[in-house]
Amino acid sequence: MTPEFLERAIELAKDSVRKGGGPFGAVITKGDKIIAETSNSVTTDLDPSAHAEVNAIRKACKVLGTYDLEGTEIYSSCEPCPMCLGAIYWAHISKLYFAATRNDAKDAGFDDEFIYTELAKSTEERKVLTMHIDHKIAKEPFLLWAQKTDKKEY
């Protein structure tokens, strides 16, 4: 863990607030080098998925030319939300360090607890109407994938 990288993520978060964005920043490193650094841009990009960690993952993948960030570390100004944590896992980032907690974020008006609660519910119980439609061709993409000999596993 390098404290300077965590401090950089916090500075990015503060700068984001000054520029009209959300109070979150993230830095992705490989070894002792910063690969990507960004902040939250939900309101500035009009994109609800533009959280700092997701933005950093997108940028790091482009810089490294891969979708697999194994061997990298992410420093976040705050404990990642469920979406960002999922993205961190999907990207195979090796280590996560964060400064503020999700309770600190909650105190500032960023409460993700409802998402954790929703994820634990069955699809029938969720707030967003969620319905499984058993379509006759629903599995065809998976069959094509299973037969593909030159696929890139992820």
Side-chain angles (χ1 to χ4, degrees), residues 61-132:
C61 287
K62 286 181 182 175
V63 168
L64 296 176
T66 183
Y67 52 84
D68 187 344
L69 298 178
E70 188 172 338
T72 65
E73 298 179 352
I74 187 164
Y75 293 80
S76 180
S77 64
C78 185
E79 183 176 356
C81 74
M83 176 185 70
C84 293
L85 188 59
I88 289 165
Y89 275 93
W90 279 115
H92 303 126
I93 292 174
S94 299
K95 293 182 183 175
L96 161 64
Y97 304 101
F98 64 88
T101 68
R102 70 190 204 194
N103 286 327
D104 297 325
K106 178 181 177 179
D107 292 344
F110 296 92
D111 188 1
D112 297 327
E113 193 57 41
F114 75 97
I115 297 173
Y116 291 103
T117 302
E118 286 290 300
L119 288 172
K121 294 178 181 178
S122 70
T123 54
E124 296 83 15
E125 296 175 308
R126 292 184 182 157
K127 182 178 179 179
V128 173
L129 179 61
T130 306
M131 299 170 57
H132 170 244

